[in-house]
Amino acid sequence: MRAKRSILNLSFGLVSQLITILLGFFIPRLIMVNYGSEANGLIASIGQIISYLALLEAGVGAASLQALYKPIAGNNKDNINSILAATSSYYKRTGIYYFFAVVLLAVLYPLIVNSEISAISIIAIILLTGMGGAINYYFQGKFRILLIAEGKSYVETVIVTATTILNNVVRIILLLQGFNIIAVQASFFVLTLLQIVVFYFYMKKHYKWIDLKIKPDFAAIGQKNSVMIHEISYLVFRNTDMIILTFFTNLKIVSIYVMYNMIFTIVDNIVQTVNGSIKSALGQIYHESKTEFLKFYDAYEVYFMGLIFSILTVTYILIIPFMRLYTAGVNDVNYIDWWLPVLFVTIKLLTNARTSSNNVITIAGHFKKTQTRSILESAINLSASLVFVIFIGIYGVLMGTIVALLYRSIDIVIYASRVLLNRSPWVTFRRWLTNAVIFIGIILVTTAMNIHIHSYVGIILWGMLLGIVILPTYLIIASLLEREVFLYSLDYFKEYKDKFKSKFTTAPKVKGLSK
């Protein structure tokens, strides 16, 4: 069942990402062409600041998720209900704060940020962008946590993907027809409400046993304050760059950052889709058998890391040719910069290559024990970015992130390995270094090839060709160096394949026909 749900999560997640990517590419370009780079930077900046409102959820989501793994593994519905009741209580209380925070942002933003766009337009955009999230947070948050813990995130993916398709299609039509940016954002708000309604009816139909009136188990999510520190640190780490650029440079520089970050955010989303499809299985196995968990974890780390490096290798090779095509005709600022892909790839490799170790810390519930380290990462990132941005602008915020990542990524691997896995961190570091050497080798080869791409079709064809060659390269080398992991993975998938096959080939006996 776990394997099946993981595959469903992965399949629906990747299809969702593909659809979102294809539709999402149109909107930023249409905004830049129709309204200019400043409007693109404004919308991205507002979206990034509103993402900070997730701080209101900080702690309770991850704490509830960690608390739910054990009762779900034991199918204890009473415990599940009591944890959900506590989670629901928190979401409802802070949902009100979310609403007023959006209103406050709408009032203050036009007073602080220098922009040629009118204050009324900015206020309307902020309200339409933020209110959908506030309502979503209030009604849907607790149910989303349950689905993730059960390994059914594919359900949310289907609902979100359907509304995302509709939302993007409507926005593209409005942009092509010349509607103003406020009308475009209004469509986003309306369709967010539609998504909430669909989600509500799904939960009503399939989870009739949920009872939020039961006595809340606040003790189960007692680590929420420690988790909150981690969540705040993560949000500061993830969103600092664009906000610092907004206040220390200008919205055109923000737009440059947004364009490169858009590509790497897509990579992040794909990677996290894969990680999310496996994480619930990891969490449940951890509470059942530590021996089996370690085997499963090693297989996950080896091949997940190979996937990360392969995707980022292809992205690095193709990003400048893509950016030339994508920003053609946009002349108010230069979007072609060879140093930005280097810095972005370094950040994403350091961030995602530590994901497996970070999952162990989360699953084990070691939030309080690692909160000081998380605070230090954010402090390094924020202070270094503020200093560097003054001297080297957009490069400075990226360098500040890299400095913080070098500290924290190494620290996470050491902690997870020594404290939770009871082994040397060199096991993971060796895997990092192996993949890094392969990455450098491939980049040197493709640079010598001097690839020229002049169309989107060329981007797609080269992306497919590079993917077909590069992904197997990483996975084959990993399998050769990690023989035990390879054999375990082979047995695991063979066992799942046999179970899947027998399910459809074993015909039930029909009474009266057997001799």
Side-chain angles (χ1 to χ4, degrees), residues 485-502:
V485 169
F486 172 70
L487 293 174
Y488 170 81
S489 302
L490 208 61
D491 289 340
Y492 184 86
F493 284 107
K494 185 177 182 298
E495 182 182 347
Y496 174 74
K497 182 182 176 182
D498 291 342
K499 286 181 180 178
F500 185 81
K501 187 176 179 181
S502 64

Side-chain angles (χ1 to χ4, degrees), residues 266-322:
I266 290 168
V267 173
D268 270 348
N269 291 340
I270 292 171
V271 168
Q272 291 310 312
T273 296
V274 176
N275 177 56
S277 67
I278 304 295
K279 191 174 179 181
S280 61
L282 276 169
Q284 292 176 37
I285 293 171
Y286 181 85
H287 291 286
E288 292 176 355
S289 169
K290 295 298 172 62
T291 303
E292 179 64 20
F293 172 79
L294 193 58
K295 292 178 182 178
F296 188 83
Y297 171 83
D298 272 331
Y300 153 73
E301 181 174 76
V302 168
Y303 294 114
F304 181 70
M305 201 177 290
L307 176 67
I308 290 166
F309 272 84
S310 61
I311 293 175
L312 285 169
T313 304
V314 175
T315 304
Y316 180 83
I317 295 167
L318 297 179
I319 190 167
I320 291 295
F322 170 81

Side-chain angles (χ1 to χ4, degrees), residues 220-484:
I221 58 172
Q223 284 205 79
K224 69 178 185 297
N225 292 333
S226 296
V227 181
M228 179 173 64
I229 293 172
H230 285 270
E231 296 289 317
I232 291 171
S233 298
Y234 176 73
L235 280 167
V236 169
F237 161 76
R238 188 179 175 94
N239 301 312
T240 295
D241 293 357
M242 198 181 298
I243 294 173
I244 290 176
L245 289 174
T246 298
F247 293 108
F248 282 84
T249 59
N250 58 65
L251 290 176
K252 290 182 179 179
I253 298 298
V254 172
S255 184
I256 295 173
Y257 180 94
V258 167
M259 286 299 97
Y260 284 89
N261 193 53
M262 175 184 73
I263 304 300
F264 288 100
T265 297
I266 290 168
V267 173
D268 270 348
N269 291 340
I270 292 171
V271 168
Q272 291 310 312
T273 296
V274 176
N275 177 56
S277 67
I278 304 295
K279 191 174 179 181
S280 61
L282 276 169
Q284 292 176 37
I285 293 171
Y286 181 85
H287 291 286
E288 292 176 355
S289 169
K290 295 298 172 62
T291 303
E292 179 64 20
F293 172 79
L294 193 58
K295 292 178 182 178
F296 188 83
Y297 171 83
D298 272 331
Y300 153 73
E301 181 174 76
V302 168
Y303 294 114
F304 181 70
M305 201 177 290
L307 176 67
I308 290 166
F309 272 84
S310 61
I311 293 175
L312 285 169
T313 304
V314 175
T315 304
Y316 180 83
I317 295 167
L318 297 179
I319 190 167
I320 291 295
F322 170 81
M323 205 59 66
R324 281 200 181 99
L325 291 168
Y326 193 79
T327 61
V330 182
N331 301 315
D332 54 356
V333 66
N334 180 27
Y335 284 88
I336 308 305
D337 189 319
W338 288 93
W339 278 109
L340 291 179
V342 174
L343 296 172
F344 268 107
V345 164
T346 303
I347 288 170
K348 298 307 176 183
L349 288 176
L350 286 170
T351 302
N352 291 308
R354 75 184 190 183
T355 299
S356 52
S357 297
N358 198 48
N359 279 345
V360 180
I361 294 173
T362 302
I363 291 167
H366 280 224
F367 302 113
K368 189 172 184 178
K369 294 178 180 179
T370 56
Q371 64 186 27
T372 304
R373 303 155 187 259
S374 187
I375 293 170
L376 183 56
E377 178 187 27
S378 295
I380 293 171
N381 185 16
L382 188 58
S383 57
S385 295
L386 286 170
V387 172
F388 292 159
V389 74
I390 296 170
F391 298 101
I392 49 178
I394 190 171
Y395 308 124
V397 294
L398 296 169
M399 287 298 298
T401 302
I402 290 171
V403 170
L405 277 170
L406 283 171
Y407 153 70
R408 183 61 174 145
S409 295
I410 292 171
D411 177 68
I412 284 174
V413 172
I414 292 173
Y415 185 92
S417 298
R418 289 181 176 169
V419 177
L420 298 170
L421 301 177
N422 297 314
R423 69 185 187 189
S424 169
W426 174 245
V427 175
T428 297
F429 288 140
R430 175 171 46 79
R431 291 166 182 166
W432 277 22
L433 292 172
T434 300
N435 285 295
V437 170
I438 299 169
F439 178 89
I440 293 169
I442 293 172
I443 296 304
L444 291 174
V445 171
T446 53
T447 301
M449 290 170 61
N450 196 20
I451 298 170
H452 292 286
I453 304 173
H454 304 290
S455 68
Y456 288 114
V457 173
I459 293 281
I460 294 169
L461 292 176
W462 269 105
M464 292 171 63
L465 178 61
L466 290 169
I468 290 169
V469 174
I470 290 172
L471 178 58
T473 300
Y474 278 101
L475 299 185
I476 289 170
I477 293 174
S479 298
L480 291 172
L481 295 176
E482 305 270 359
R483 181 176 168 78
E484 288 186 10

Side-chain angles (χ1 to χ4, degrees), residues 71-265:
I72 286 173
N75 195 31
N76 190 329
K77 290 183 179 178
D78 287 338
N79 281 2
I80 293 171
N81 275 322
S82 60
I83 293 169
L84 285 179
T87 305
S88 177
S89 173
Y90 186 90
Y91 273 111
K92 285 184 177 180
R93 186 168 67 253
T94 54
I96 305 300
Y97 304 150
Y98 197 128
F99 173 84
F100 285 109
V102 172
V103 174
L104 184 63
L105 176 63
V107 173
L108 295 179
Y109 190 96
L111 301 176
I112 299 172
V113 176
N114 182 27
S115 174
E116 295 178 5
I117 300 171
S118 70
I120 296 297
S121 296
I122 292 174
I123 291 170
I125 290 169
I126 291 173
L127 291 175
L128 291 169
T129 303
M131 284 305 170
I135 298 169
N136 194 327
Y137 173 91
Y138 187 92
F139 289 105
Q140 189 172 309
K142 53 190 173 291
F143 298 129
R144 182 180 61 85
I145 296 298
L146 174 61
L147 289 175
I148 294 172
E150 281 197 325
K152 291 183 179 179
S153 55
Y154 60 86
V155 174
E156 183 190 22
T157 300
V158 170
I159 297 172
V160 172
T161 301
T163 51
T164 298
I165 292 171
L166 187 57
N167 179 29
N168 282 332
V169 169
V170 170
R171 294 175 79 191
I172 289 168
I173 292 171
L174 292 176
L175 286 166
L176 290 173
Q177 293 299 316
F179 283 82
N180 65 40
I181 199 68
I182 296 174
V184 174
Q185 290 305 104
S187 69
F188 170 78
F189 173 73
V190 171
L191 289 165
T192 300
L193 296 182
L194 176 63
Q195 173 189 312
I196 295 168
V197 171
V198 173
F199 199 93
Y200 173 80
F201 281 110
Y202 174 86
M203 296 302 295
K204 272 287 188 182
K205 180 178 179 181
H206 296 280
Y207 285 85
K208 294 178 181 178
W209 53 267
I210 290 179
D211 179 14
L212 298 179
K213 295 180 181 179
I214 196 172
K215 184 179 179 181
D217 185 1
F218 291 106
I221 58 172
Q223 284 205 79
K224 69 178 185 297
N225 292 333
S226 296
V227 181
M228 179 173 64
I229 293 172
H230 285 270
E231 296 289 317
I232 291 171
S233 298
Y234 176 73
L235 280 167
V236 169
F237 161 76
R238 188 179 175 94
N239 301 312
T240 295
D241 293 357
M242 198 181 298
I243 294 173
I244 290 176
L245 289 174
T246 298
F247 293 108
F248 282 84
T249 59
N250 58 65
L251 290 176
K252 290 182 179 179
I253 298 298
V254 172
S255 184
I256 295 173
Y257 180 94
V258 167
M259 286 299 97
Y260 284 89
N261 193 53
M262 175 184 73
I263 304 300
F264 288 100
T265 297

